[in-house]
Amino acid sequence: MTIAPSTETDETRKPVTPDGATKSAWASLRPLVLRLHFYAGVLVAPFLLVAALTGGLYAASFQIEKIVYADEMTVAKVGDEKLPISEQVAAARKAHPEGTIAAVRPSPADDATTRVMLSGVKGVDETDTLAVFVDPYTAEVRGALEQYGATGALPLRTWIDKLHANLHLGETGRLYSELAASWLWVISAGGLVLWFGRRRAQRKVRGTSGRRRTLGLHGTVGVWAAAGFFFLSATGLTWSAYAGANIDVLRTELRQATPAISAAAGDHGGHDAGAADGGAAAEGDLDKILAAARAKGLGDPVEIVPPADASSAYVVKQVQRSWPTKQDAVAVDPSTAEVTDTLRFADFPVLAKLTRWGIDAHTGVLFGLVNQLLLIALAASLVLLILWGYRMWWQRGRASAFGRPIPRGAWQQVPPQILVPALAVVAVLGYFVPLLGIPLAAFIAVDVVLGEIAHRKGERSYGGRTEAKQSVEQGVEQGAE
């Protein structure tokens, strides 16, 4: 993708052919695409730069977390046989009697500890839990750390996650990441159109220098990375504040929402409701609850969630988001240890599966280390593209002015049969993706006002130049390159 245009053919209006034929649709559309790509790149690039840097850091945080919290996450020595889960939970509760049991994740591997998550613990954010790490062979408590989210992020990864998502500014901060996701695909698409609209000879990098070389590097890397940018943009929007809500509504209307398991249970026959409070009943029930889930084919890793109240069941769900995805779940009546409901990932609607895989690939967990390395490479590519883009903007000004803007009036060259449908598509997209539509409308409004002011002054101003002078300078640049 390109943030600034080529001065060779990008900025000059193509005249009518000698035989009077109407110029091609592409020749009419190119200046408009160029102008949109240029301004979107210049104005949105700072948000994309932050998103790229923090996103690349988050992709690396999974491996960093394993190193920083190795003592808590792994056992000192692999034993012969793991203790019953109830004994492990009892040890965790003895060391940390505060709060209530929110969930338990039994040791998923030979060298992995069991996590007992406690909610309502003083000093722990109300949206987080205190994860108590227990050696499954000896019931030794190896530590306790605050944990966030479904992926079990520990403090370091949680901090990086929230930095990427909202810059630690809460809901207001989420606007930055949604703005970046909303515009990334637009800028990428514009760059692809401009790049492939250039003559093949103009795309080369070797043997070039100055602005043409910068443009060549920018375009080549942008083309190779474009598919990844489209993916990051689409998946990032699925759980954004505004566009994400619209996507959820659309999925619900299409009956493609993610299904949920029913946690309702039958008559407990006097079963102690203390299970919901993390008491002794909850600890004693866990072995038979886990056995019932295993009998239904739920292999590790799993998470056991105690009943919310006396009329609810335990929920045991698989939590493996890496490939192959394991997301089956069962509800188990605590009084009879009978499975009352089963939910299989294989039965999810198509869009629900795609959403799950898309989010997991976006966060770097679907394909593990390879996934994370690809995300880091995409983040690095985006950083380079932004830097090259700003460099082209500076180089375009040369010694006479810094970063001359693209001339106005490009939309006037687009035939109505193309312009009207394009505006309709933009309006629909702007409605469903507000942080694309609102900034675009604001830009158009400001541009129109500035154009009217310039017109009233008797000139079409482009960074202090008249249109005639701008055209002359473009012609000089074209000859120079």
Side-chain angles (χ1 to χ4, degrees), residues 159-189:
W159 189 89
I160 297 173
D161 184 1
K162 294 182 178 180
L163 177 67
H164 177 60
N166 58 34
L167 302 179
H168 294 281
L169 297 175
E171 286 300 311
T172 302
R174 291 180 66 187
L175 296 177
Y176 114 83
S177 56
E178 184 168 352
L179 179 68
S182 298
W183 280 91
L184 177 57
W185 71 272
V186 176
I187 297 173
S188 299

Side-chain angles (χ1 to χ4, degrees), residues 80-103:
D80 297 327
E81 185 177 355
K82 294 180 180 179
L83 297 171
I85 192 65
S86 58
E87 292 186 28
Q88 299 177 50
V89 173
R93 296 299 285 154
K94 182 178 180 181
H96 293 273
E98 66 274 25
T100 59
I101 296 177

Side-chain angles (χ1 to χ4, degrees), residues 251-307:
R251 287 177 54 200
T252 300
E253 291 294 329
L254 296 174
R255 297 184 179 180
Q256 294 289 310
T258 301
I261 194 166
S262 173
D267 183 6
H268 288 196
H271 177 77
D272 189 350
D277 300 325
E283 297 162 18
D285 287 343
L286 291 177
D287 294 316
K288 63 180 182 180
I289 298 299
L290 183 58
R294 299 293 195 204
K296 288 293 183 179
L298 269 69
D300 287 323
V302 297
E303 180 177 283
I304 308 169
V305 181

